[in-house]
Amino acid sequence: MENNSKFERKLGFNAIRNSIKNFCLCNGGRNLVDAMCFMTDYIQVEYNLELTEEFCSIFLTNRIFPDKNYFDLREEFVRLKIEGTFIDKVSLFDFQRSLHTIFSCVTFLHKNQEVFVNLYALTNEIQNAFIGDKFIIPVLHRCDKLLDNEGEFSDSASPELQKIRITRRNKIKEINKRMLRLLSDARREGWTNNESELTFRNGRQVIPVSATHKKRIRGFVIDQSASGNTFYIEPAEVFELNNEVRELELQEEREIINILTEFTDEIRPFIPFLTDAYAFLSQIDFIRAKALYAIHIKAGKPIIEKEPKIYWFEARHPLLEASLKHQNKSIVPLKIELNSKQRILIISGPNAGGKSVCLKTVGLLQYMLQCGMLVPMKETSESGVFSNIFIDIGDEQSLEDDLSTYSSHLLNMKTLCETADERTLFLIDECGSGTDPQVGGSIAEAIIEDLNSKQAFGVVTTHYSNLKLLADYPENKNSIVNGAMLFDRNNMKPLYILTIGKPGSSFAFEIARNIGLPDRIISNALKKTGKGMSDYEEQLQQLEEENNKLQKQKAEFHIADTLLASTIEKYEKLLADISTQKKTIINEAKQKAEQIIADSNRKIENVISEIRRINAEKEQTKQIRTELNKELSKIRTEINTENIKKDNKSKAESNNLTACSNYLSDASPIMSGDSVVVLSVNKTAQVTKVSKNKLQVALDNMVMTLPITDVKKIKQKNSNAVVKTKPAGNNRGIIAELDKKRASYHYQIDLRGEKAEQALAMVAKQIDDTRLLGEREFSILHGTGNGILKTVIREYLKTSVDVESFRIAPLEFGGEGITLVTVR
């Protein structure tokens, strides 16, 4: 790999490095960021990514991890290895706080070792001293005894220090008492102002006295004011006491040094271990900073493989994304693939269309990944490990080496061709530019073919037509592939979308015309370019436009197919339900008939019994027989009536099923001129007149009036039989119908003032149209009023199988007056 600093500057990785350093808490972590480098070992790359990913999960699961008092004292430990040296008070305070931080980190990871396996493994060398009452615990207790929360030595640090401080405080108390008395006397005698107070000069407590009375107080002049009008005198009677206090202060300093020396002697044998502990803290700081940066750029860990490959989804350049965010713009994610068969991608397209950004994104993200950093792309992306990354981009002119831009470019190509192998990733921007286009294009073509023969991976940007044609050569089939940055010809602006498979047009003439270059110049340029080149560019543009249209049609076909499949499934389910209901109805009729017969048999038995009982004569027998015949006739009538009812109900439901299956239903209100199915005869008719609850329809050259419930409005005839398989249909007609519906589709329907029945029909139609067009949501404006219409609509939505959910709109968007509906 070329010089790292130069390479990182080209890609912008130095800015990434600085951003991570800003998240560090100690110099040790920042030093590790500076030392972060490109790794070529798969296991090492995977391990570092897993460490960062585990730390990300600590933050994302809101776990409390120590984030204060990170200090790196390893340089101090190097000095303390020398006998006779001792730790200073400031370093001791840092040592106390950071040792607590290390202890908290180790404890956290020990408790969560099954969750954060790799992070816990970092503690292997030091955890024995931190877990349990071993070396670290006594040291922490010792530090806490020596220093208070402000980093000052406590009186209990040693018995001698406590004795010195008590004596010193008593001396100061006696001095203050005498000084206050002498100040009171001086005020009373007028030797000093009544507003004067005791003060300190040169570390000595003094009384301010006017110059005219300076000899009235026996003592020593310590200082005087700038004007010479005030002298600061230390009274003789406290002079000795002040000297004693000063001596006690010196004794205190010597005792503190003794304590520090003793403490340093205690920890000196453990300095190698402490060095490891602080190396662990620095590493934790480093990984923590990488995790915070990953969260900041919304990065994740893709699938890592040993073999070189790139298969990325929604890859984003982190620096470009941050820059666009400040401009209230959004980045267009990149999808790109390089594999063992499709190794070299040649990207063409308009200037400022995103070719160089695409190339830099590939280089930066792959470099970040192999430096152990999570990258901003979908976690289902796949990425391999390359042994070397080479980049040639920008102006490489060197005044020191007397090299032109093109010479420098050729020198880079020489180095690349000498070192490239099957694990090399090369990135070349504007390959072959900087010299005569015909010569430069030929050299560029030869270089790419040489790199292809070495099975190297690469991304190349170009405007040269001969490079665009490389992918079509039989010997390069599959190994070299074209890519194009899409361009919107209607609005004359780049789309920053990479498509793979076809070369892109430079759109030079279109861009020139759009910025206002005179037509005479463009026409002249077209003549000079030649018809062949113009035709080639035109064909490229047409290919791009046709590809875009095909993609759009593919999406529309998918919507239509999905809708048809859903409709078929719905009606097949309806058919199955009707069949089940029919069986149930027949069974119920049989059971009722059997019950009637059973009741009849009981009545006949009763009649026979009555005849036998009374030994009836002929007249009586005849009368009883007549009554029995009447009863049997009544029973037969009941059975026939029940069967007719069940049969009619089954026929009606069957007719309804057939009508629904043969035609696409339309839930909108029936109007004059609409087509309907007459359910009783399963035939289509034309509506000629609509009254309140009745319709006048034309059916088979007859005009008849029917209840509105006897017909069903239809859209289009599908088949002469019940649909059981997905119809082929006329796709072009479906798409035209979809386009027509989409043009008239509104995401909000206004039902204010509508009657409940009409409103529900409009809601049903809106649901059907929304699902048909592949949309998910729409809103209903019903107003608040007395709430009747709102209640009816929401009750209907609860029962609709096509509605997934509905909710009240936010207050700022209408509140209770609007219902937001999500369809299935």
Side-chain angles (χ1 to χ4, degrees), residues 790-807:
K790 175 182 68 177
T791 303
V792 169
I793 290 170
R794 291 181 180 172
E795 286 298 323
Y796 172 76
L797 294 175
K798 286 180 184 177
T799 61
S800 175
V801 295
D802 295 326
V803 174
E804 182 176 292
S805 64
F806 63 90
R807 63 190 186 280

Side-chain angles (χ1 to χ4, degrees), residues 392-405:
D392 182 75
I393 186 171
D395 187 355
E396 295 294 325
Q397 186 174 14
S398 174
L399 297 178
E400 293 83 358
D401 298 330
D402 193 24
L403 289 175
S404 68
T405 300

Side-chain angles (χ1 to χ4, degrees), residues 87 129 395 481 490 553 572 581 631 777:
I87 190 170
D395 187 355
V481 65
N490 295 326
Q553 288 177 357
E572 285 181 343
Q581 290 176 12
E631 187 65 28
E777 289 190 342

Side-chain angles (χ1 to χ4, degrees), residues 687-719:
V687 178
T688 58
K689 185 178 178 181
V690 180
S691 57
K692 188 174 181 181
N693 292 316
K694 294 185 178 181
L695 300 173
Q696 190 179 74
V697 299
L699 175 65
D700 293 341
N701 298 321
M702 296 185 297
V703 176
M704 62 180 66
T705 301
L706 298 171
I708 199 168
T709 55
D710 284 2
V711 302
K712 190 173 188 65
K713 184 177 177 181
I714 61 171
K715 292 180 182 177
Q716 178 184 348
K717 189 171 181 180
N718 288 333
S719 173

Side-chain angles (χ1 to χ4, degrees), residues 458-473:
V459 179
V460 177
T461 68
T462 187
H463 288 285
Y464 290 164
S465 298
N466 65 312
L467 298 187
K468 298 177 186 179
L469 296 172
L470 264 178
D472 295 330
Y473 295 171

Side-chain angles (χ1 to χ4, degrees), residues 8-9 11-17 36 364 367-368 371 373:
E8 292 181 3
R9 188 181 69 254
L11 289 178
F13 187 77
N14 52 341
I16 302 287
R17 200 186 288 273
M36 182 171 55
L364 178 61
Y367 191 77
M368 287 173 62
C371 284
M373 295 179 59

Side-chain angles (χ1 to χ4, degrees), residues 587-597 639 642 646:
N587 289 335
E588 288 177 355
K590 286 181 178 179
Q591 290 175 4
K592 192 160 186 178
E594 289 174 357
Q595 182 65 39
I596 291 171
I597 292 171
I639 292 173
E642 186 66 26
K646 302 298 182 182

Side-chain angles (χ1 to χ4, degrees), residues 348-592:
S348 50
N351 286 318
K355 299 189 300 296
S356 297
V357 171
C358 175
L359 183 141
K360 285 185 176 180
T361 300
V362 173
L364 178 61
L365 297 191
Q366 187 65 37
Y367 191 77
M368 287 173 62
L369 197 69
Q370 290 191 231
C371 284
M373 295 179 59
L374 303 182
V375 286
M377 64 178 66
K378 264 198 168 184
E379 294 187 351
T380 53
S381 301
E382 300 174 22
S383 192
V385 177
F386 294 89
S387 61
N388 196 12
I389 300 180
F390 180 93
I391 185 168
D392 182 75
I393 186 171
D395 187 355
E396 295 294 325
Q397 186 174 14
S398 174
L399 297 178
E400 293 83 358
D401 298 330
D402 193 24
L403 289 175
S404 68
T405 300
Y406 187 66
S407 298
S408 179
H409 169 72
L410 287 181
L411 188 61
N412 289 337
M413 294 301 102
K414 172 179 174 291
T415 304
L416 171 61
C417 291
E418 289 174 350
T419 58
D421 58 21
E422 70 279 0
R423 300 189 70 89
T424 296
L425 173 65
F426 63 87
L427 309 165
I428 307 174
D429 191 31
E430 300 295 350
C431 187
S433 63
T435 189
D436 178 86
Q438 187 171 359
V439 176
S442 299
I443 294 176
E445 183 177 342
I447 289 171
I448 293 174
E449 288 179 341
D450 183 71
L451 294 171
N452 184 35
S453 68
K454 296 183 176 183
Q455 298 187 342
F457 293 75
V459 179
V460 177
T461 68
T462 187
H463 288 285
Y464 290 164
S465 298
N466 65 312
L467 298 187
K468 298 177 186 179
L469 296 172
L470 264 178
D472 295 330
Y473 295 171
E475 62 270 23
N476 298 330
K477 194 172 183 180
N478 295 328
S479 60
I480 300 178
V481 65
N482 276 308
M485 302 306 298
L486 297 185
F487 188 82
D488 185 350
R489 292 185 68 186
N490 295 326
N491 298 310
M492 294 306 296
K493 65 178 183 180
L495 299 176
Y496 306 109
I497 298 174
L498 172 67
T499 60
I500 296 177
K502 297 292 182 184
S505 169
S506 296
F507 292 96
F509 293 115
E510 287 78 1
I511 294 172
R513 188 175 288 111
N514 186 55
I515 65 174
L517 199 67
D519 288 340
R520 66 180 186 279
I521 296 176
I522 295 174
S523 299
N524 192 21
L526 281 167
K527 292 177 183 177
K528 293 179 179 297
T529 302
K531 188 175 186 306
M533 179 58 70
S534 299
D535 290 345
Y536 178 69
E537 287 289 320
E538 183 67 27
Q539 287 172 4
L540 285 179
Q541 295 171 20
Q542 289 176 358
L543 281 172
E544 288 183 24
E545 292 174 358
E546 288 174 5
N547 182 59
N548 290 338
K549 287 179 182 178
L550 285 173
Q551 292 299 324
K552 182 181 178 183
Q553 288 177 357
K554 182 180 177 182
E556 290 173 341
F557 280 134
H558 177 71
I559 292 172
D561 286 347
T562 302
L563 180 64
L564 288 173
S566 174
T567 304
I568 291 168
E569 182 182 359
K570 179 178 178 181
Y571 286 123
E572 285 181 343
K573 184 176 183 298
L574 180 61
L575 179 63
D577 291 344
I578 292 296
S579 177
T580 303
Q581 290 176 12
K582 183 176 180 181
K583 290 178 181 178
T584 303
I585 290 169
I586 293 171
N587 289 335
E588 288 177 355
K590 286 181 178 179
Q591 290 175 4
K592 192 160 186 178

